[in-house]
Structure formats: C-alpha cells, structure tokens
Amino acid sequence: MKKVTVITLQNVRNYGSVLQAVATQKVFEDLGCQVDFINYVKDGLLSSKFQRIKLWVEKRNIFQKVIYGILLYPTFVREDRMFPRFLNKYLNQQDKVYGTEESFKKFKIDSDIYCTGSDQVWNSGWNGGILKPLFLSFVPDNVKKIAYSASFGKPQLDDWEKEETRLLLQRYSAISVREKSAVNICEDLGLPSVTHVLDPTLQVNKDFWMSLLTESQRVRTDKGKYVLVYQLNSNREFDRYAKEFAKRKGWKLVRFCLRYDQIVRPGKSILIPEVTDFISLIANAGCVITDSFHGTAFCCNLNTPMICIYPNEFSSRLASLLQLTGLEQRHLKEYNDFSYVEKTNVDFERVNSILNQERAKGVAFLKNALEK
C-alpha cells in the first residue's frame, strides 16, 4: 500500500474547498492508497477574527466599519466551528499546521508520493503570489511528486510568473489539471503530457455524496419546489433575476447566505449551512442559480437543473465544465432571458455518460502516475 500525502487548500472557509479534499481522499483510497493531508494554512488566512474583520472593512467609512464588524464577527465564529468540524470528521489531516515556506523546512518526508491536490492552488492572483509549498517545493528531487486536478483559476499566466512556475512544475513526474485552459498553460511552458481530468467532486459519483447525508437530508419535504441561489459575487442584476425567475416559476426562493449581512438579499436565508446541508439543498432543489464552479459541479453530479452566471473573474473553470458536459446552454448571457422558466429539464443521462467516461480517464491517469 503506497502512502500519498496531499497538499491543497482544504482550510479555506469554503464549501468547494473542503468537499474537493474529501473527494480527493476517497479517490486515492479507492485505488488502495493510504492518504493523509498536510494541515496547510496560507499565511494570514486564519488570523484572529478581529484581524480578518479589519481586512474586510479597511476601505469603508466609519459607519460601515461598525456595521460590517458587528455582522462579520458571528460569521467568522460560525465558519471557524462548522468547517473544521466537517474536516475533523471526514478528512485524515495531519495535526501540525504549516503555512510559510520557513515552516516547511522541518517537514518530515515519510510518504512514497506527494501530491498537489485540486482547487485554485496555482492561482497567483487569488493566492497573492506564487505559493511555493503548493508546488511541493519542500519535497526533495528524488521523491515522487504529482499533481491531481490542480487549477490555475485563470486562462493564462502573467509574464512575471511563467519562468518560476515552469521551474517548479518541471519537478513533477505527472501533472493533471481540471481545466482545458490549464492544459494550454502547461503546454506553453513546455511541459509535456499534461492531462485534463475532472474536479475531484465530480470524480466521485452521486452515490458517495448522498451516503454522507441523513435520511431526512436525502429527500427533503420541499424537494423540487424551490429555486436555490448560491452566489459568491455581489451582483444586483443576479439578485433581481433570481427573484423574478422564482416568481415566474411559482417556487420558493432559497438562498445560501455565506455571511450574516447577506440576509437582506432576496430569498429565504440559509445562514452558513452545515456542509452536508449544502449537498442536500442542491440535491433537492428544483433549480439552482449560481456563479460558483463547485455549485455547478454539484448540480451536474447530483442531476439538479442549473442556471450559471459567470463571475467577472476566474470564470474559465466554470466555462470549461459546461463545455465538457455539453451544457453551454445553461450559461445565462442576458438578464432578461427567462426562457429557462420553461427549460428546467436537462438531459442528465448524457451528462452522466460523459462524467463516467471522464472518471475512467481520471482513474487511468492516477494509476499510471502512482506506478511510473
């Protein structure tokens, strides 16, 4: 049994981040591996609640700072309890916390393979620069390094980061990424044999996700009777569209609220739901309106009709997923397009067939990467 140690961004307070880590663990375990995760926390990410609030409100006026501070504090309290509780239950995570490059100098190398996992691990814009530990810079040259479904989160690299990224990725024996644009990035860097695979949350199937739920979560009493909003970016046109869509459909509007200040937005507020409730609410929705990659991925996997609104930044992975599954028509291009009221049915048999084919590619990549 080979031991695989993964570094990814599971400690980001985000549903997609924790769920992709749990899925990655499941994928490696299904291949007979022993797997654990480095307890990586990007420097400053989980600083004190007051420091995090200060960063959020620094560009606002005094009145706004007070109001946002009052609303953000319980948000951070809730996040800091809920996400770690889920990870402690489902993820085999190392105890010691690592963050800065300096902290990795004493990292013990005792696994057969080290893996950069999924999520936007190589997004220099999101991460505030190139984070070398996420490129396995601390792993010696003679120890195998692979990347599984990694993401740059953008269609191309900036000139300043290309050479350093190339040198870091040259040390890997096998690389897979989760967007076609990332394949192009790697090819432009002169890296051969880069493979496009599914995001881990799609590599595992619906049955796995439903197995995490209680009986009442699997089939809600309001199944198919509500429109669910999962929105990561503030957008008033998005809000107006969702409200009007639900009205025309005759369904209740339900909203994931990721912060307490979002309760003023249209829809019944579900304040920072448990991670398993996140899965349940998507699985049981009549339709999901989202600008989230993982929101869209779970709709595909759980066979829930979706309407996708591209964010202004980092939309390449969402577009790549819709193209892969043949669901480009689920991309809302005009906020006056309410044809989706009559087009909530999606050919999920075709989607499932495509996902199964892609899952086979993912398994083939990992088997080869683990053995060669």
Side-chain angles (χ1 to χ4, degrees):
M1 179 182 291
K2 292 188 176 181
K3 182 180 179 183
V4 179
T5 292
V6 181
I7 186 168
T8 185
L9 296 171
Q10 77 274 11
N11 283 312
V12 175
R13 300 307 194 226
N14 175 281
Y15 292 95
S17 297
V18 299
L19 288 166
Q20 62 83 18
V22 169
T24 296
Q25 178 173 274
K26 171 66 173 172
V27 170
F28 278 113
E29 288 177 345
D30 284 350
L31 292 172
C33 297
Q34 177 186 352
V35 58
D36 67 359
F37 284 71
I38 295 171
N39 196 350
Y40 177 71
V41 179
K42 188 172 69 172
D43 189 31
L45 178 67
L46 300 183
S47 53
S48 77
K49 295 175 182 60
F50 292 107
Q51 288 174 311
R52 288 150 70 189
I53 290 170
K54 184 178 179 180
L55 289 174
W56 267 88
V57 304
E58 64 181 352
K59 294 183 180 181
R60 303 180 186 274
N61 62 43
I62 294 176
F63 176 75
Q64 290 173 327
K65 286 180 179 179
V66 172
I67 297 300
Y68 270 85
I70 292 171
L71 292 170
L72 285 173
Y73 186 81
T75 296
F76 293 149
V77 169
R78 168 74 173 158
E79 288 180 341
D80 289 348
R81 290 175 181 170
M82 188 265 291
F83 285 112
R85 182 165 61 235
F86 179 81
L87 290 173
N88 289 339
K89 182 175 181 179
Y90 291 105
L91 195 71
N92 184 20
Q93 186 171 234
Q94 297 175 4
D95 292 329
K96 185 175 179 180
V97 176
Y98 295 87
T100 62
E101 287 185 60
E102 183 70 22
S103 68
F104 278 93
K105 289 183 177 180
K106 296 182 179 180
F107 186 87
K108 184 179 180 181
I109 302 296
D110 59 2
S111 292
D112 302 299
I113 299 169
Y114 286 82
C115 174
T116 295
S118 192
D119 218 337
Q120 298 188 57
V121 286
W122 297 336
N123 187 340
S124 60
W126 186 266
N127 293 330
I130 293 175
L131 299 182
K132 291 184 180 180
L134 291 170
F135 289 83
L136 301 176
S137 59
F138 57 94
V139 180
D141 289 342
N142 63 337
V143 178
K144 182 182 287 188
K145 291 166 285 292
I146 67 174
Y148 174 53
S149 192
S151 174
F152 292 98
K154 54 186 181 180
Q156 60 188 24
L157 298 184
D158 296 327
D159 289 340
W160 66 266
E161 63 185 317
K162 289 181 179 180
E163 180 60 15
E164 185 173 8
T165 299
R166 183 184 68 81
L167 293 173
L168 288 164
L169 292 181
Q170 277 185 339
R171 302 173 68 242
Y172 286 69
S173 63
I175 296 174
S176 64
V177 291
R178 73 180 186 192
E179 299 103 18
K180 286 186 177 180
S181 60
V183 174
N184 296 334
I185 287 173
C186 291
E187 289 178 346
D188 289 344
L189 294 176
L191 302 167
S193 303
V194 175
T195 304
H196 179 207
V197 300
L198 291 174
D199 181 86
T201 61
L202 289 167
Q203 184 66 36
V204 298
N205 61 24
K206 178 179 179 178
D207 290 342
F208 170 73
W209 293 122
M210 299 304 285
S211 73
L212 303 184
L213 308 184
T214 64
E215 187 58 39
S216 61
Q217 286 177 318
R218 290 190 189 103
V219 183
R220 291 169 52 99
T221 56
D222 57 356
K223 181 176 175 62
K225 299 178 183 177
Y226 60 91
V227 179
L228 178 66
V229 169
Y230 180 35
Q231 181 182 4
L232 299 182
N233 304 278
S234 296
N235 183 330
R236 290 182 179 178
E237 287 186 293
F238 184 128
D239 293 338
R240 285 194 290 267
Y241 182 87
K243 184 177 180 180
E244 180 63 21
F245 177 86
K247 180 181 177 182
R248 295 191 185 198
K249 197 67 185 174
W251 290 347
K252 179 172 61 177
L253 183 63
V254 176
R255 175 184 292 272
F256 282 141
C257 288
L258 305 178
R259 302 191 312 269
Y260 279 69
D261 60 289
Q262 294 178 349
I263 61 175
V264 298
R265 294 181 181 177
K268 177 186 176 183
S269 300
I270 308 293
L271 284 165
I272 316 177
E274 294 287 342
V275 179
T276 51
D277 284 328
F278 171 91
I279 300 168
S280 171
L281 283 161
I282 292 177
N284 286 281
C287 183
V288 175
I289 305 178
T290 186
D291 60 359
S292 158
F293 169 81
H294 279 112
T296 303
F298 271 90
C299 286
C300 290
N301 210 347
L302 301 175
N303 290 181
T304 300
M306 80 295 284
I307 299 172
C308 300
I309 296 173
Y310 288 1
N312 292 329
E313 288 187 288
F314 311 138
S315 64
S316 61
R317 55 199 185 129
L318 213 169
S320 178
L321 174 57
L322 293 185
Q323 182 181 18
L324 174 70
T325 53
L327 295 177
E328 298 100 321
Q329 75 278 9
R330 305 308 298 184
H331 171 209
L332 180 73
K333 298 178 181 178
E334 301 290 340
Y335 285 106
N336 60 358
D337 180 5
F338 289 97
S339 63
Y340 292 94
V341 172
E342 306 299 329
K343 295 191 299 186
T344 50
N345 290 328
V346 175
D347 184 3
F348 281 114
E349 284 192 15
R350 180 169 181 267
V351 172
N352 294 337
S353 176
I354 292 170
L355 290 179
N356 283 332
Q357 294 172 22
E358 295 300 319
R359 287 175 183 134
K361 293 180 184 177
V363 170
F365 165 80
L366 282 175
K367 284 184 175 179
N368 183 59
L370 293 171
E371 295 301 326
K372 75 176 184 180

